[in-house]
Amino acid sequence: MNAASPATAAGPEPFGARLRRAMDTRGPLCVGIDPHSSLLHAWGLSDDVAGLTAFTRTVVEALADRVAVLKPQSAFFERFGSRGVAVLEKAVAEARAAGALVLMDAKRGDIGSTMAAYAETYLDKDSPLFSDAVTVSPYLGFGSLRPALDAARVSGSGLFVLALTSNPEGAEVQRATTAGGSPVAQMMLDHAAAENAGVTPLGSVGAVVGATLGEAGVDLAINGPLLAPGIGAQGATPADLPGVFGAAVGNVVPSVSRGVLRHGPDVYALRAAAERFSDEVRTAVGGAVEGADGVR
């Protein structure tokens, strides 16, 4: 399956449908591409553009033809300026050509024309950084994301809205109570659900909900994908997913970065690590889905 599915008379195939198919065929796993300096050194690479290029090329070669989602963290490329962004552009194109869906982890958030410019950067098919989806921050108000929501609908891309992130500091904003008495995170989830209403088989507006939360304590039935960072190095395991996500676990996209990347630079070791995580997720999620009705 090429991630860049051909457009039909009704427009491009929506991200949610492409993601559902990729998860069902390749397994529900997202692997991060996080070339931070410690990993480059651990791989025996220099912390410069040459090391960045070798690292990124190896991860794409190892995984793009077999995992559902690859998630480059843009900051680790941007730190090298234009040359780093050029490496990112090539990685996005090559990963998508190999069949992986690319989720750009950029966490952009702004208002008006600035948000529209971010949307053009990641969600316009003519952009060199065009991705299947991008992470966005709604904490200038969910409505500030409208340019990105509109652009994603036109291009068949998706958004992952920060809701309950895996970092402990996030709780001071995300768990804060609104005037209506619910957590701010629930408000963001409710907005995402409204965007996905009536969509089958899966909406294209997802949410980021950390796998390390223990218990989410919010309604995760958004009819969209739930990106779950925190598997591996941050302490969560695939076995934790049913307890955090409950009946929504069938729509979870567990995200692993260092847990897989630390096995490089050997291509076969990277593949084996990703396969182990994917098998563990299938086991944990499959059992939960079989024991629940209406997960999807």
Side-chain angles (χ1 to χ4, degrees):
M1 178 195 71
N2 191 310
S5 300
T8 67
E13 185 178 19
F15 171 72
R18 293 186 289 124
L19 177 62
R20 178 79 273 160
R21 185 169 63 248
M23 292 169 65
D24 290 344
T25 57
R26 293 186 169 203
L29 187 68
C30 168
V31 177
I33 306 179
D34 295 359
H36 49 74
S37 58
S38 62
L39 265 177
L40 294 178
H41 289 310
W43 281 31
L45 299 171
S46 52
D47 188 17
D48 55 20
V49 174
L52 174 75
T53 301
F55 179 97
T56 306
R57 183 175 57 240
T58 300
V59 177
V60 171
E61 176 190 347
L63 302 177
D65 65 345
R66 59 198 64 217
V67 301
V69 183
L70 283 176
K71 180 175 69 66
Q73 169 47 259
S74 64
F76 292 121
F77 295 85
E78 293 170 18
R79 68 192 182 103
F80 293 107
S82 61
R83 293 179 300 164
V85 173
V87 174
L88 179 59
E89 291 174 359
K90 185 175 182 180
V92 169
E94 292 182 349
R96 297 189 75 240
L101 296 172
V102 172
L103 167 56
M104 184 65 69
D105 196 357
K107 298 182 178 70
R108 300 304 193 224
D110 215 303
I111 60 172
S113 59
T114 307
M115 190 68 237
Y118 283 138
E120 290 175 13
T121 302
Y122 303 109
L123 303 171
D124 187 317
K125 286 183 176 293
D126 293 328
S127 169
L129 284 172
F130 173 68
S131 302
D132 296 283
V134 63
T135 56
V136 291
S137 174
Y139 292 105
L140 289 174
F142 193 92
S144 68
L145 301 179
R146 182 52 55 191
L149 291 161
D150 292 344
R153 188 171 292 109
V154 169
S155 64
S157 300
L159 301 179
F160 283 88
V161 178
L162 302 182
L164 284 173
T165 53
S166 57
N167 63 307
E169 302 89 346
E172 67 184 43
V173 173
Q174 298 157 14
R175 296 285 191 186
T177 303
T178 67
S182 65
V184 171
Q186 184 64 66
M187 178 185 292
M188 301 308 170
L189 291 163
D190 291 345
H191 281 301
E195 297 292 329
N196 294 328
V199 178
T200 58
L202 190 66
S204 296
V205 180
V208 179
V209 178
T212 56
L213 296 175
E215 185 177 349
V218 291
D219 182 2
L220 297 173
I222 66 169
N223 190 34
L226 299 164
L227 182 70
I231 302 288
Q234 292 187 48
T237 70
D240 296 324
L241 296 173
V244 177
F245 293 93
V249 73
N251 293 336
V252 170
V253 187
S255 180
V256 182
S257 295
R258 283 172 289 174
V260 169
L261 299 178
R262 65 183 180 86
H263 294 279
D266 184 87
V267 166
Y268 297 102
L270 287 167
R271 289 173 177 169
E275 186 174 350
R276 284 195 299 272
F277 273 109
S278 186
D279 288 345
E280 290 176 14
V281 170
R282 280 193 179 102
T283 299
V285 171
V289 170
E290 289 174 5
D293 293 325
V295 169
R296 296 180 189 169

